Amino acid sequence: MARVTIKDIARISGYSKTTVSFAFNDPSRIGRDTREKILRIADELGYIPDPVARNLSLRRHGTIGLLLPEVISFAFYNPYLSQIVQGIGEVCERENHSLTLIPPIRESLMEGIRRAAVDGLITIGLEPGMEAVEFIQRRHLPFVAIDGRVGGGFPVVGIDDFTAAGTVMRHVLDLGHRRIAIVAFGREPKLSTGSHVKSQRLSGYREALEGVDPELPDEVTYVYAAPSLDGGRQAARTLLDGRERPTAIVAMSDILAVGIIDALQGAGISVPDDISVVGFDDIPEASLVRPQLTTVSQPGYEKGRHAADSLMSLIADQESPGHIVLHAELVVRASSAAPDTVSSNSR
Amino acid sequence: MARVTIKDIARISGYSKTTVSFAFNDPSRIGRDTREKILRIADELGYIPDPVARNLSLRRHGTIGLLLPEVISFAFYNPYLSQIVQGIGEVCERENHSLTLIPPIRESLMEGIRRAAVDGLITIGLEPGMEAVEFIQRRHLPFVAIDGRVGGGFPVVGIDDFTAAGTVMRHVLDLGHRRIAIVAFGREPKLSTGSHVKSQRLSGYREALEGVDPELPDEVTYVYAAPSLDGGRQAARTLLDGRERPTAIVAMSDILAVGIIDALQGAGISVPDDISVVGFDDIPEASLVRPQLTTVSQPGYEKGRHAADSLMSLIADQESPGHIVLHAELVVRASSAAPDTVSSNSR
DNA sequence: TTGTACGCGTTATCAG
DNA sequence: CTGATAACGCGTACAA
């Protein structure tokens, strides 16, 4: 049997489409008998209104989109994304919305934005001036950016990455480390490119380094890695193969730090006795691994929740809810310690 | 400025809607000059076709839905779901689809299914006879079930949970453990209720126990926990507070096992010296924690990938691709060992 | 209280 | 060969 449409119900019941629609959506507009008759027929035929046609009429979709900077199969290697999704999810459930994950197509966000049948978008790391931003605005889609740069006429939810990065780097420096490696995510080896978050954190690291010694930023080893466990493992191997081993590794995200620790331990290196490792994010895994990870706690769940809240009010009011800067703080655990003064770990 | 529709382009260019649409979707049907003129005007006005109207016409949505058994904010506490999502994502990206996460609304899947504007659904743990299944079928939505029960006329992707559970339990028994606790997920304390996966695993555990001693299944302590780190931690505390401590804890999922180990270590109990802990799933975290977790490796990523592949062929062919049973195997790591024969850990 | 007509993009079918 | 008409699916402003 083919799909049952409102037209079928109208034809069989003898009423018009309008009346059938009212029977479901605005019962007070029609007579009780009329309604009962229509509902009975609809039930018998198993009528379910086509959601797409419904959405088209209502100009509501009951879905918000999450525009991912990476393909789904890769993005979820980082539990940090799970936390953001959870926070968004809390709001979705409150508002009875679903959540559409929109991956880039052929390395571009455009096509995903073009085809998104959603009430609004949450983006990760989108910045003023990017082509994707213009495109979203041309579609008149309400949107909120997580981890973006302020100043493009859209609300941004984030933390002060510059300050947070400085805090964790100063912790490492205060412990006495000077041979330091920074493991950044992304593929670009240049400071000036890449996301706002990345450049902010790098700048924060460098400022802390300069505070100790103006030449220190240039003595630091930089390694770039994909934000996943394996990315961290590879970064660790790269560092171990290097000429001079660092006494501390500062990773730009926890998933990298955890992968680094795993690889170091696999190579028989003790953390933090031989090498200290610190991260960024404070994902749940940070306190599960041994040694527990020293890191900067930034609230991924809260970022998602606030972004979704802002988006909902944007959708409802058309009024911009303003930027939100969430709190981040250093969490000192067991993966960082003073460097071994005997320097037994250099080769 | 208001949204630009195809009608505006038609009006301004002087052609009909049809001709404008052909300019984008079937250029061979109209003259070159006509096309160029239309495209120029559309570009100037920033015309983007409404995706919903487009989907309605095309009867394609470019999205598949993942029907979650739990609200998003809770479901993603378990990294196992991330793996499934990644696997689905791989196919989505290949097919240029997005992925819509559909949480239950007011503890019911119905409303989510009713409103899902998707090409098809992947469900987790749905079984023949459930109201939700009928509903999906009434909507003529193609769908594939992950971790479901075979026999409802829809394809199922899973593993042999009964055998896999038996394998890990026999490993524990072979080590010599007899005082065993089983930590199951879900709230139902009865064997007969809950999901197929849960009952299969419980049955597998019990059969292995019976193989050693017919009375053993009834001497086992059962604890029920939410499938999250905290669920595992709470379960561990419940067990520690119990009259007689187990020498081995068999958890129905890794996230539970990892939480259990965390709580045990927090209480000063050594794993596996004092208590052995085994899990189920082999999530990435299983090999990160110390001691590394003994578990059953089941391919969450592959489940997602196969389910999405099957769904895509179901959408394309309307032909059922058949069930898929993936391989699972025992992975012995460091969290399981023979019980301390001096029995120093009972109180 | 109920029906007509419109909005949205695509395309089968028809007209020139 | 080129282009227009009408139908699909639903909700609802407006008319009757």
Side-chain angles (χ1 to χ4, degrees):
Chain A
M1 62 206 155
R3 272 182 52 262
V4 180
T5 74
I6 197 172
K7 214 178 153 185
D8 297 317
I9 309 299
R11 186 170 38 76
I12 292 170
S13 69
Y15 294 98
S16 72
K17 282 200 316 180
T18 312
T19 308
V20 175
S21 182
F22 282 151
F24 292 98
N25 303 309
D26 196 355
S28 68
R29 298 268 318 253
I30 61 173
R32 181 181 309 272
D33 292 348
T34 309
R35 174 160 191 255
E36 274 176 19
K37 190 174 168 191
I38 289 171
L39 290 185
R40 190 171 44 72
I41 292 172
D43 192 51
E44 278 169 16
L45 298 185
Y47 168 65
I48 300 173
D50 182 316
V52 183
R54 201 160 196 275
N55 293 345
L56 180 62
S57 278
L58 292 173
R59 239 159 227 93
R60 285 189 317 105
H61 313 94
T63 309
I64 62 177
L66 177 61
L67 203 62
L68 297 173
E70 280 283 355
V71 293
I72 295 171
S73 50
F74 194 86
F76 277 92
Y77 277 126
N78 193 345
Y80 173 58
L81 177 61
S82 294
Q83 294 196 285
I84 290 177
V85 168
Q86 284 182 66
I88 298 172
E90 186 190 306
V91 177
C92 282
E93 279 123 28
R94 195 189 64 211
E95 306 276 339
N96 290 338
H97 279 231
S98 54
L99 176 61
T100 301
L101 305 176
I102 306 173
I105 294 178
R106 288 180 287 278
E107 311 226 355
S108 164
L109 300 173
M110 295 306 156
E111 201 51 31
I113 297 168
R114 175 189 286 275
R115 302 194 316 201
V118 299
D119 290 320
L121 283 176
I122 293 173
T123 69
I124 298 182
L126 226 53
E127 304 182 25
M130 286 177 69
E131 210 185 345
V133 171
E134 283 179 53
F135 214 75
I136 297 172
Q137 289 169 336
R138 197 193 299 173
R139 271 206 55 195
H140 301 277
L141 271 179
F143 85 107
V144 176
I146 290 177
D147 290 350
R149 189 196 305 262
V150 169
F154 52 85
V156 175
V157 176
I159 62 167
D160 181 346
D161 285 286
F162 178 83
T163 302
T167 305
V168 70
M169 182 58 87
R170 265 187 296 279
H171 163 73
V172 169
L173 292 166
D174 288 347
L175 286 171
H177 294 276
R178 291 299 180 270
R179 284 215 308 285
I180 295 171
I182 292 176
V183 180
F185 46 69
R187 295 170 203 134
E188 297 290 336
K190 283 176 292 183
L191 253 175
S192 55
T193 61
S195 72
H196 181 240
V197 164
K198 182 173 138 192
S199 66
Q200 284 292 295
R201 291 187 193 170
L202 281 177
S203 301
Y205 290 152
R206 291 174 72 93
E207 202 217 33
L209 291 164
E210 280 170 6
V212 169
D213 176 352
E215 310 210 338
L216 204 48
D218 296 326
E219 294 170 10
V220 163
T221 307
Y222 291 89
V223 177
Y224 291 80
S228 66
L229 279 179
D230 275 334
R233 292 191 183 108
Q234 283 176 31
R237 281 191 286 271
T238 301
L239 287 170
L240 292 182
D241 290 344
R243 192 168 293 261
E244 193 177 41
R245 283 188 188 174
T247 63
I249 300 176
V250 176
M252 201 172 275
S253 82
D254 280 0
I255 193 72
L256 284 172
V258 171
I260 289 166
I261 292 178
D262 190 57
L264 292 180
Q265 290 177 340
I269 293 167
S270 171
V271 177
D273 296 343
D274 299 329
I275 299 181
S276 287
V277 178
V278 299
F280 202 115
D281 288 344
D282 197 24
I283 57 178
E285 285 78 0
S287 52
L288 283 177
V289 297
R290 295 296 182 272
Q292 295 187 321
L293 187 65
T294 292
T295 187
V296 177
S297 166
Q298 71 152 332
Y301 190 103
E302 297 300 310
K303 275 187 188 174
R305 194 167 62 79
H306 278 101
D309 269 334
S310 292
L311 182 59
M312 290 299 175
S313 70
L314 210 52
I315 292 170
D317 305 332
Q318 303 287 350
E319 215 173 285
S320 183
H323 307 298
I324 295 174
V325 180
L326 296 171
H327 184 66
E329 68 182 328
L330 181 67
V331 179
V332 178
R333 297 203 183 91
S335 69
S336 57
D340 187 345
T341 47
V342 194
S343 189
S344 62
N345 59 332
S346 79
R347 7 174 199 176
Chain B
M1 66 208 153
R3 268 182 55 262
V4 180
T5 72
I6 196 172
K7 212 179 158 187
D8 298 317
I9 310 298
R11 183 171 40 76
I12 292 171
S13 68
Y15 293 98
S16 71
K17 283 200 310 179
T18 310
T19 309
V20 175
S21 181
F22 282 152
F24 292 98
N25 303 309
D26 196 355
S28 67
R29 296 275 314 257
I30 60 175
R32 182 180 307 270
D33 293 348
T34 310
R35 173 159 191 255
E36 274 174 20
K37 190 175 168 192
I38 289 172
L39 290 185
R40 191 171 43 73
I41 293 173
D43 193 50
E44 279 170 16
L45 298 185
Y47 169 65
I48 300 173
D50 182 316
V52 182
R54 198 157 198 275
N55 293 344
L56 179 63
S57 280
L58 293 173
R59 239 157 229 95
R60 284 188 317 103
H61 312 92
T63 309
I64 62 176
L66 176 62
L67 203 62
L68 297 172
E70 281 283 354
V71 290
I72 295 172
S73 50
F74 195 87
F76 277 91
Y77 277 127
N78 194 345
Y80 172 58
L81 177 61
S82 293
Q83 294 197 284
I84 290 176
V85 168
Q86 284 183 70
I88 297 171
E90 185 189 309
V91 177
C92 282
E93 279 124 28
R94 195 188 65 212
E95 306 275 340
N96 290 339
H97 279 235
S98 55
L99 176 60
T100 301
L101 305 175
I102 306 173
I105 294 178
R106 287 181 289 277
E107 312 229 350
S108 165
L109 300 174
M110 294 305 154
E111 202 53 30
I113 298 168
R114 174 189 289 273
R115 303 195 316 203
V118 298
D119 290 321
L121 282 176
I122 294 174
T123 68
I124 298 181
L126 227 53
E127 305 182 26
M130 285 174 70
E131 211 184 345
V133 171
E134 283 179 54
F135 214 74
I136 297 172
Q137 290 170 334
R138 198 193 297 175
R139 272 207 55 196
H140 302 275
L141 270 180
F143 84 107
V144 176
I146 290 176
D147 291 350
R149 191 197 303 263
V150 169
F154 52 84
V156 175
V157 176
I159 62 166
D160 181 346
D161 285 285
F162 178 84
T163 303
T167 305
V168 68
M169 181 58 88
R170 265 187 296 279
H171 163 74
V172 169
L173 292 166
D174 288 348
L175 287 170
H177 293 278
R178 292 300 180 270
R179 281 213 313 282
I180 295 169
I182 291 175
V183 179
F185 47 69
R187 297 172 200 129
E188 298 290 337
K190 282 177 293 182
L191 253 174
S192 54
T193 60
S195 72
H196 180 241
V197 164
K198 181 173 138 192
S199 66
Q200 285 293 295
R201 292 188 192 170
L202 281 177
S203 301
Y205 290 150
R206 291 174 71 94
E207 201 215 34
L209 291 164
E210 280 171 7
V212 169
D213 175 351
E215 309 210 338
L216 203 47
D218 297 326
E219 294 170 11
V220 163
T221 306
Y222 292 90
V223 177
Y224 291 80
S228 67
L229 279 179
D230 275 334
R233 292 189 183 110
Q234 282 176 31
R237 282 191 285 272
T238 301
L239 287 170
L240 292 181
D241 289 345
R243 192 168 294 260
E244 196 179 37
R245 284 188 188 172
T247 64
I249 300 176
V250 176
M252 202 172 273
S253 83
D254 280 0
I255 193 70
L256 284 172
V258 171
I260 289 166
I261 291 177
D262 190 58
L264 292 180
Q265 291 177 339
I269 294 167
S270 170
V271 177
D273 296 343
D274 298 329
I275 300 181
S276 288
V277 178
V278 300
F280 203 114
D281 288 341
D282 198 23
I283 56 178
E285 285 78 358
S287 51
L288 283 177
V289 296
R290 296 293 182 274
Q292 295 187 321
L293 187 66
T294 293
T295 187
V296 177
S297 167
Q298 70 152 333
Y301 190 103
E302 298 300 309
K303 276 187 186 175
R305 195 169 59 80
H306 278 99
D309 270 335
S310 292
L311 182 60
M312 289 299 176
S313 70
L314 208 54
I315 291 170
D317 305 330
Q318 304 287 348
E319 214 173 283
S320 183
H323 307 297
I324 295 175
V325 180
L326 296 170
H327 184 65
E329 67 181 331
L330 182 67
V331 179
V332 178
R333 298 204 183 92
S335 69
S336 56
D340 185 347
T341 48
V342 193
S343 191
S344 64
N345 59 333
S346 78
R347 358 178 207 175

